[in-house]
Amino acid sequence: MIKVKDDWTWVVEHVEEELENDALYDDVYEYMTKHRIDLDQVKELYHDGLTHGIEDGKYLPFSQWFYEFSEEV
């Protein structure tokens, strides 16, 4: 769990920073291609999860959320 902000600008910056990891970047883009969605939609899904799952100002980092989310789909 990391400190998060329930704020779209924070989400965008956090996701972009996490996507500097080449392996995560490749996995996210593979998922987007498979499900025919764009990066903004992935960010929205993360933001929804954060909004509904935030506890004491903390939530999963994008990378951990993505791998758990993509396994469930």
Side-chain angles (χ1 to χ4, degrees):
M1 302 281 270
I2 61 169
K3 289 187 118 328
V4 297
K5 292 183 183 177
D6 190 359
D7 172 82
W8 179 249
T9 301
W10 184 90
V11 167
V12 169
E13 290 172 0
H14 175 64
V15 171
E16 294 293 335
E17 183 178 305
E18 291 266 296
L19 289 176
E20 290 177 9
N21 174 312
D22 290 338
L24 176 61
Y25 178 91
D26 291 344
D27 292 342
V28 169
Y29 277 84
E30 181 180 320
Y31 178 87
M32 289 173 17
T33 301
K34 179 179 178 182
H35 294 281
R36 296 187 174 141
I37 62 174
D38 63 26
L39 185 55
D40 282 339
Q41 290 171 298
V42 173
K43 292 174 185 174
E44 288 173 12
L45 290 167
Y46 177 64
H47 190 214
D48 287 346
L50 184 152
T51 297
H52 298 290
I54 194 170
E55 293 180 20
D56 298 323
K58 294 183 177 182
Y59 190 65
L60 301 172
F62 174 76
S63 55
Q64 184 178 351
W65 169 86
F66 173 75
Y67 288 118
E68 289 181 17
F69 173 80
S70 63
E71 286 180 7
E72 292 176 8
V73 172

